[in-house]
Amino acid sequence: MNPEHFLQAALHKREEQASLRQLRHFENRVDFCSNDYLGLASSERMGEHILRLNEPYSKKHGSGGSRLLSGNDPFIELAEGEIALFHRAAAGLIFNSGYDANLGLLSSVPGKHDTVIYDNLAHASIRDGIRLSLAHSYAFAHNDCESLQQKLSIAKRGLGEVFVVIESVYSMDGDIAPIEDILQLCQRYNAHLIVDEAHATGIVGSRGEGLVQSKGLENDCFARVHTFGKALGCHGAIVLGSETLKSYLINFARSFIYTTALPPVAVASMLAAYQLFPSMDEERRTIRAHIRKLRSGLNDNLFYSDTPIQVYNIPGNEAARTKAGYLQSLGLDVRAILHPTVAKGAERLRIIIHSFNTDHELELLIEGLRKN
């Protein structure tokens, strides 16, 4: 008997459902797929800033250990201070990725006597962190304040703290949380609000500061997570909050404690991004103009979003995959999002608009989407 028969059986089931994931290369195609909204991941200017900032550390290619061993230095602490200052936070702690940040924050802060209430479309890293926390947890209907209030009313408040976890911009639909209404409910029910700003960082707000800060609500949130791997074009993430929260995470967040620290060049890339994206008003305006062009050319099947994430609904894994394949044959890198990543019947093309996309590329995309 094949000793890996149980693995093969699970893969075969995915294949039957037309949902088997595979790694592929899509070179020489127009990018309507990546989260590199502002083009910083391949920006020469970004590269120049990284080289300049990393120059004092150019002979050090690795960190040599976790932050609690040999991986801590003034450079990463400088980055934490500058990023926290930009976001008007008391303190910040850098993690190796957005996944690690959510996992560390949500697995360590809520305890088994606490309650976590999270949006039903929250990212897998949020769900995984909550699961590891052993806290009581409830999902509320996506962006539905009435559903949130119902869950807040049944939270096990007498036993511990209550946390509400949302994203500011949701990665699969591109829609924005009604954060002011959610915050009012949190204040009414004495709950702590945690906001993942991954897809808002660099995009939302006059300087790309994110949804919370753009509305002046930074002092009302328990914690914010800003991820650098999307519009900022680099790697890592930061959890923003109080000095007390930072100290707590250093002591209890396992995804921080037990992982090798990022190398200096990664820290340089974070600082380079923060030197560049706040002034990229023209790029943000270009994205908005592209969104208007896409919407004017497509009136059906397009889920409305003011963000670079545009959703073209095509129910069914096979149908969505076939449409994506057709667009790819035209030289456009558009990807299908399939069940089980999204609910059955909610399969779609996830189209990402970038500042570097041209009008001609948008026209090719619109023409390809219109074709049956």
Side-chain angles (χ1 to χ4, degrees):
M1 176 183 280
N2 180 357
E4 296 185 345
H5 66 93
F6 58 98
L7 303 179
Q8 194 59 52
L11 289 170
H12 181 65
K13 186 175 180 181
R14 279 283 172 94
E15 205 164 11
E16 287 180 331
Q17 297 169 340
S19 61
L20 184 68
R21 297 182 176 102
Q22 293 176 303
L23 297 175
R24 295 187 176 93
H25 294 284
F26 287 84
E27 296 177 358
N28 302 317
R29 289 180 179 167
V30 177
D31 183 2
F32 285 112
C33 167
S34 79
N35 294 323
D36 183 24
Y37 306 132
L38 300 173
L40 284 175
S42 55
S43 162
E44 287 186 18
R45 224 170 91 190
M46 175 89 156
E48 291 167 0
H49 275 63
I50 293 170
L51 287 174
R52 178 178 56 79
L53 290 164
N54 190 56
E55 204 280 329
Y57 302 90
S58 59
K59 294 182 180 179
K60 188 177 181 183
H61 307 300
S63 61
S66 72
R67 292 277 300 276
L68 290 168
L69 292 175
S70 60
N72 195 47
D73 59 48
F75 193 34
I76 196 166
E77 291 185 340
L78 169 70
E80 287 171 337
E82 289 197 7
I83 295 169
L85 183 65
F86 173 81
H87 288 295
R88 298 206 291 262
L93 185 67
I94 287 174
F95 284 75
N96 286 17
S97 69
Y99 190 98
D100 283 344
N102 278 330
L103 198 72
L105 174 67
L106 291 164
S107 65
S108 66
V109 172
K112 64 181 180 179
H113 296 303
D114 298 329
T115 300
V116 183
I117 303 171
Y118 62 96
D119 189 286
N120 190 47
L121 294 188
H123 191 266
S125 58
I126 291 173
R127 293 167 177 264
D128 289 352
I130 293 168
R131 188 179 298 115
L132 287 171
S133 74
L134 303 181
H136 305 281
S137 63
Y138 305 97
F140 68 94
H142 177 54
N143 276 349
D144 187 328
C145 289
E146 184 177 342
S147 175
L148 172 59
Q149 184 171 7
Q150 290 172 353
K151 297 301 188 295
L152 282 166
S153 67
I154 62 171
K156 300 182 183 299
R157 185 167 291 94
L159 296 176
E161 303 295 328
V162 179
F163 300 89
V164 172
V165 188
I166 63 169
E167 297 177 39
S168 53
V169 174
Y170 286 85
S171 62
M172 286 296 111
D173 288 340
D175 52 347
I176 296 175
I179 192 165
E180 291 160 313
D181 295 335
I182 288 172
L183 185 57
Q184 285 182 7
L185 285 172
C186 289
Q187 291 170 341
R188 186 189 309 172
Y189 286 90
N190 196 30
H192 307 290
L193 181 61
I194 296 173
V195 183
D196 181 345
E197 295 262 29
H199 290 275
T201 311
I203 296 298
V204 176
S206 61
R207 303 178 68 213
E209 65 271 21
L211 183 66
V212 171
Q213 195 176 340
S214 72
K215 293 183 175 293
L217 303 175
E218 58 271 13
N219 294 327
D220 299 310
C221 293
F222 177 82
R224 289 174 281 160
V225 178
H226 284 270
T227 300
F228 311 144
K230 277 70 177 178
L232 274 58
C234 52
H235 199 75
I238 192 166
V239 176
L240 300 171
S242 67
E243 289 283 0
T244 303
L245 175 62
K246 179 176 181 176
S247 180
Y248 182 93
L249 293 173
I250 290 169
N251 281 275
F252 294 100
R254 294 167 71 87
S255 62
F256 174 85
I257 297 167
Y258 298 108
T259 195
T260 302
L262 290 167
V265 68
V267 180
S269 68
M270 299 170 195
L271 285 171
Y274 271 88
Q275 289 178 2
L276 292 173
F277 81 80
S279 62
M280 297 179 77
D281 300 329
E282 184 177 346
E283 286 81 358
R284 285 185 281 271
R285 282 196 298 270
T286 298
I287 289 172
R288 291 193 291 271
H290 285 343
I291 292 169
R292 290 193 296 271
K293 185 179 183 70
L294 184 65
R295 292 210 61 80
S296 67
L298 296 168
N299 295 318
D300 60 335
N301 286 4
L302 194 65
F303 179 86
Y304 180 76
S305 170
D306 281 328
T307 75
I309 303 165
Q310 302 293 306
V311 174
Y312 192 85
N313 295 306
I314 306 180
N317 279 359
E318 199 58 53
R321 181 174 278 162
T322 298
K323 188 67 171 182
Y326 171 70
L327 293 169
Q328 289 159 13
S329 74
L330 300 178
L332 308 176
D333 192 355
V334 176
R335 307 292 178 93
I337 306 298
L338 310 174
H339 174 76
T341 301
V342 292
K344 189 174 281 294
E347 296 84 5
R348 78 279 302 271
L349 302 182
R350 181 178 182 265
I351 299 166
I352 304 300
I353 303 301
H354 308 90
S355 61
F356 53 81
N357 290 133
T358 67
D359 285 340
H360 176 63
E361 291 167 352
L362 264 291
E363 288 161 8
L364 285 175
L365 174 65
I366 292 167
E367 184 180 343
L369 289 169
R370 282 175 172 170
K371 188 174 178 66
N372 292 327

